[in-house]
Amino acid sequence: MDFQFGLVVAGLTVGFIVGLTGVGGGSLMTPILLWFGIPPTTAVGTDLLYAAFTKMGGVYVHHKKNNINWTITGWLSLGSVPAALLTLWTLNSIKTDISALNAVIKYSLGWALLLTSIAVLFKKKLMAISQKHSGDKFHSESRTQNWLTVAIGVLLGATVTLTSIGAGALGTVTLFFLYPLLATPKLVGTEIAHAVPLTLVAGLGHASMGNLDLGLLAQLLMGSLPGIFVGSMLSGKVPDLLLRNAIAGMLFFVGYKLVFMA
């Protein structure tokens, strides 16, 4: 792909927002790539590797701060990585016209954005409900917790592989329900750690199917890496509620457009 300064700015903007709010990059980047006219299959494949490389830096920082529960990460990956591989195999096996596949991905992307917008908007209320029921039976039985964590991993693996969305906002919110007594930084760090192998496997799978633009990936990373650094430095200094409401509104609008107006 030819160099486009707008793509570098898009990477910078998304990286900054992710560093500032913790909202997943895929839910923001993929719609932006569609707006630039990138085909849905290429947008998803490129965005997955973009997320993997970007979040590797986040894993390093969170690990240094002891914010990652590697046991939970392992149980999530036990469900998500096989689900990602199965989804990739299914996509590769379906003998269909590329335009039909793009249509399926756009529709799935729209629903993922709608769910993500709700998760972002009502995150604090969902956390409160989770903590209220923190003494429920399934919270105190580790075996049940483990299998539910694997089940969440399966859902995330399929959703992320198909749309590149879900590893951040949806993953963190669902973990709040299973592990309400775990500190928020640890939940965020754990989900970032889980997102790296999932997006890497899914991204490499899409690349093997030809759904990757290396020039596009390079331009996005050129902007996102400094953007994440600056956003992380300013995290907590900008009203979180205002930003989250604005982001949730934007995601809902784009998701509604893809599902009902595409």
Side-chain angles (χ1 to χ4, degrees):
M1 165 172 279
D2 294 334
F3 180 81
Q4 294 187 48
F5 183 69
L7 290 170
V8 178
V9 173
L12 178 70
T13 303
V14 172
F16 178 76
I17 292 173
V18 171
L20 196 65
T21 68
V23 173
S27 57
L28 299 173
M29 183 54 74
T30 306
I32 290 174
L33 293 180
L34 294 180
W35 184 77
F36 270 96
I38 308 297
T41 48
T42 302
V44 169
T46 304
D47 185 39
L48 284 166
L49 284 180
Y50 158 82
F53 290 129
T54 301
K55 291 184 177 182
M56 283 179 186
V59 170
Y60 175 77
V61 174
H62 280 285
H63 179 65
K64 294 284 284 184
K65 292 182 177 181
N66 198 30
N67 281 345
I68 299 175
N69 185 313
W70 291 105
T71 302
I72 297 176
T73 299
W75 284 111
L76 282 170
S77 300
L78 187 63
S80 67
V81 173
L85 292 171
L86 180 60
T87 304
L88 287 166
W89 178 82
T90 302
L91 288 174
N92 194 43
S93 300
I94 295 175
K95 304 302 180 185
T96 185
D97 182 66
I98 189 67
S99 60
L101 183 57
N102 281 334
V104 170
I105 289 179
K106 283 181 71 174
Y107 189 75
S108 303
L109 177 63
W111 279 110
L113 285 170
L114 289 174
L115 291 173
T116 301
S117 69
I118 295 170
V120 171
L121 188 62
F122 296 104
K123 184 178 179 181
K124 287 191 175 180
K125 289 187 178 181
L126 293 171
M127 285 172 58
I129 293 172
S130 175
Q131 289 169 350
K132 181 180 178 181
H133 296 283
S134 60
D136 288 358
K137 187 176 180 182
F138 76 85
H139 286 310
S140 60
E141 292 186 3
S142 60
R143 182 174 295 182
T144 306
Q145 256 187 344
N146 292 340
W147 284 116
L148 287 171
T149 305
V150 172
I152 288 174
V154 170
L155 292 174
L156 289 176
T159 303
V160 170
T161 304
L162 191 60
T163 68
S164 80
I165 290 175
L170 291 178
T172 304
V173 167
T174 50
L175 284 181
F176 272 124
F177 282 91
L178 278 181
Y179 303 94
L181 301 181
L182 201 62
T184 301
K186 285 187 176 290
L187 282 174
V188 173
T190 299
E191 184 47 53
I192 288 176
H194 162 247
V196 171
L198 170 56
T199 53
L200 189 60
V201 168
L204 290 174
H206 274 279
S208 70
M209 294 161 59
N211 300 335
L212 172 66
D213 188 321
L214 285 174
L216 172 62
L217 177 62
Q219 292 177 61
L220 294 177
L221 291 174
M222 196 183 302
S224 72
L225 296 177
I228 284 174
F229 176 77
V230 175
S232 299
M233 295 293 289
L234 294 176
S235 181
K237 297 181 180 179
V238 178
D240 182 69
L241 183 61
L242 179 65
L243 282 170
R244 286 188 177 276
N245 286 344
I247 291 169
M250 181 190 72
L251 296 181
F252 185 87
F253 172 77
V254 176
Y256 182 88
K257 190 171 183 294
L258 287 174
V259 172
F260 300 105
M261 300 171 66

